[in-house]
Amino acid sequence: MAILICGGAGYIGSHTIRLLVDAGEDVIVADNLSTGHKTAINPAVKFYNCDIRDKVALQKIFAENKIEAVFHFAAFIEAGESVVLPLKYFSNNVVGMEILLEAMVDAGVDKIIFSSSAAVYGEPEKIPVGELDATVPVNPYGDSKLIMEMMMRRVSAAHGVRFVSLRYFNACGAIEDATIGEDHHPESHLIPLILQVPLGKREHITIFGDDYPTPDGTCIRDYIHVMDLAAAHQNALNYLRDGGESDFFNLGSGQGFSVKEIISTAEKVTAQKIKTVLGARRAGDPARLIASSDKARKILNWQPRFDDIEKIISTAWNWHRTHPNGFND
Ligand code: UFG
C-alpha cells in the first residue's frame, strides 16, 4: 500500500519523501505547486498535480491507488501574510483539511500525519513549551493549524481516522547531500535570509528588535533540522501502524538560540562577515520559543540526530551555495 504525501513538493515534504523512499515505502505525491517546486519531487514517486480542495481529484487518487496513510504538508505557512490575508489561510488550510478528511473517510483511509506548528501556542506561558500548555494562536496561520488539529480530533472520534499532529518549532537545514533544500518565495525565514548575504544576494540581514527580555536582547528560537523532522514522520507512521492512539507532539531540539547567535554561527560556517542592520520588532514575535519534545522522544521513540547548530547551518549553507537560485522552477 502507498503513502499519499500532500504537499510533497515543499520543503519538509520533499525531505520526508527522501527518507520514506530510502526505507522502501511506496510514495505518491499530491501538490498544486503553488509554493512547492516540481524539481523537488523525488523522480521515484508518482505525482498528481492536484489541489487538496479539489475533492474529485482526491477521489481519483484514492480510487487509482491503494492508500494506507496520508501525510499532510499542504498548507500555507506565512504568519505575517496570514494577518493580511486570513481567508487565503482559512481556504487552503482549513477548507483543504476538511475536503481531505472527507475524501479519506469516503475512501476508508484511516491514518493521517499532520504538519502542525508551534504557532498553535502563540505567546507561550512558560518555557519549554509542553503539549498541554495553552493553545492561543496570535495570527490566522496559527488559528488555521489549531482548527485543523480540532478537525482531526473530531473526525478521529466519529470516523476512526487516527492522526498524529506534529507541532514543528523552527525547521531548518537541508539534506546532507544538498540535493534538496529550503526555497520559499518570498523567503521570510531567518537562516536562508542570513545566508543570502554571503551569497551576495542581500546587502545585510535586519535584526527584528534587540530589546527583548533575552540575554542579548534578540529573539530565541528552537531550530530543528529538517531531516530530524522527516524522521519523526517516519516514526509517527510506524506508531500508527502499531495501533498508536491519535495524539499531538512537539518537535524541537530543546535548545534555544538567539538571532544574534544564529548570525555569528553563520559567519563561522561561511567564513564571511555578515552585515547586520537593527530594525523594529516584527509584530507577533514571542521573545522565546523552546520546545519540550520529551513526549515525542518517549512515545514516538524519536531522537534528533542534529544537536549542533553549526552543523545544522552548514547543511543549509551547502544547499544554498550550490543552488543560489533554489530550484529554478
Ligand atoms: N528574524 C529577524 N530577521 C529576519 C527574519 C527573522 O530578525 O529577517 C527573526 C524573527 O524575528 C524571529 C527569528 O528571526 O525572532 C526567527 O524567525 P523566522 O521567520 O525564521 O521564524 P519564526 O520563529 O517567526 O516562525 C517559525 C515558522 C513558522 C511558525 C512559527 C511558530 O517559520 O511557520 O515558527 O512560532 F509559525
Side-chain angles (χ1 to χ4, degrees):
M1 288 181 89
I3 313 297
L4 176 64
I5 313 281
C6 299
Y11 173 43
I12 302 168
S14 60
H15 282 78
T16 302
I17 289 172
R18 193 61 82 80
L19 271 195
L20 294 175
V21 168
D22 286 352
E25 300 282 358
D26 185 7
V27 171
I28 293 168
V29 169
D31 199 302
N32 66 2
L33 301 179
S34 65
T35 57
H37 304 278
K38 188 132 199 253
T39 45
I41 300 172
N42 194 310
V45 311
K46 189 165 166 186
F47 169 56
Y48 288 87
N49 188 335
C50 151
D51 189 302
I52 56 166
R53 288 163 294 186
D54 183 345
K55 191 168 174 197
V56 174
L58 284 182
Q59 282 169 330
K60 183 170 180 284
I61 299 175
F62 287 122
E64 287 179 1
N65 304 278
K66 273 193 172 357
I67 306 287
E68 177 196 1
V70 172
F71 284 32
H72 183 8
F73 297 96
F76 290 141
I77 60 159
E78 294 294 334
E81 181 190 60
S82 77
V83 175
V84 186
L85 299 173
L87 293 170
K88 176 174 171 181
Y89 282 71
F90 295 136
S91 172
N92 187 56
N93 296 7
V94 177
V95 176
M97 176 64 103
E98 191 265 329
I99 292 171
L100 177 62
L101 287 171
E102 238 176 67
M104 286 177 65
V105 169
D106 290 353
V109 178
D110 66 356
K111 299 183 209 55
I112 178 165
I113 294 165
F114 171 57
S115 306
S116 188
S117 168
V120 300
Y121 297 111
E123 284 275 353
E125 288 172 328
K126 61 166 186 55
I127 296 294
V129 187
E131 288 84 354
L132 295 176
D133 290 359
T135 47
V136 191
V138 292
N139 52 55
Y141 164 67
D143 289 338
S144 75
K145 291 266 164 154
L146 189 58
I147 296 168
M148 292 159 90
E149 287 192 344
M150 289 172 181
M151 292 164 82
M152 289 191 303
R153 194 157 51 84
R154 297 302 188 192
V155 170
S156 178
H159 300 288
V161 175
R162 283 175 304 131
F163 69 85
V164 167
S165 185
L166 300 173
R167 295 173 173 168
Y168 313 154
F169 282 63
N170 288 64
C172 59
I175 195 164
E176 283 157 297
D177 67 10
T179 47
I180 50 176
E182 189 166 10
D183 183 13
H184 297 116
H185 296 279
E187 188 53 78
S188 67
H189 295 93
L190 181 66
I191 293 173
L193 285 175
I194 291 173
L195 295 176
Q196 286 178 4
V197 181
L199 281 175
K201 302 186 73 173
R202 172 177 295 273
E203 265 282 295
H204 61 262
I205 180 79
T206 305
I207 297 174
F208 295 153
D210 72 349
D211 56 352
Y212 285 94
T214 59
D216 67 18
T218 64
C219 288
I220 291 177
R221 293 288 180 275
D222 181 333
Y223 294 90
I224 180 77
H225 196 275
V226 64
M227 290 309 289
D228 283 328
L229 293 180
H233 287 76
Q234 209 175 14
N235 292 14
L237 175 64
N238 291 328
Y239 165 82
L240 289 179
R241 279 177 172 161
D242 291 344
E245 285 176 13
S246 295
D247 214 339
F248 308 87
F249 299 92
N250 286 343
L251 296 181
S253 69
Q255 297 183 72
F257 294 96
S258 72
V259 173
K260 283 186 176 168
E261 285 172 327
I262 295 293
I263 295 169
S264 63
T265 308
E267 287 183 326
K268 232 161 125 185
V269 167
T270 61
Q272 293 191 49
K273 180 93 193 104
I274 293 171
K275 188 174 171 202
T276 63
V277 166
L278 180 60
R281 285 185 178 200
R282 189 172 65 177
D285 268 346
R288 291 174 79 216
L289 212 42
I290 299 173
S292 161
S293 302
D294 292 351
K295 188 173 164 186
R297 288 170 196 260
K298 233 179 270 157
I299 298 178
L300 297 181
N301 204 13
W302 179 63
Q303 185 59 51
R305 275 196 302 127
F306 291 86
D307 57 2
D308 173 10
I309 193 66
E310 202 175 317
K311 171 76 186 147
I312 290 177
I313 294 177
S314 72
T315 66
W317 178 235
N318 284 342
W319 156 253
H320 289 292
R321 74 180 169 77
T322 52
H323 302 80
N325 299 316
F327 285 103
N328 284 324
D329 70 17

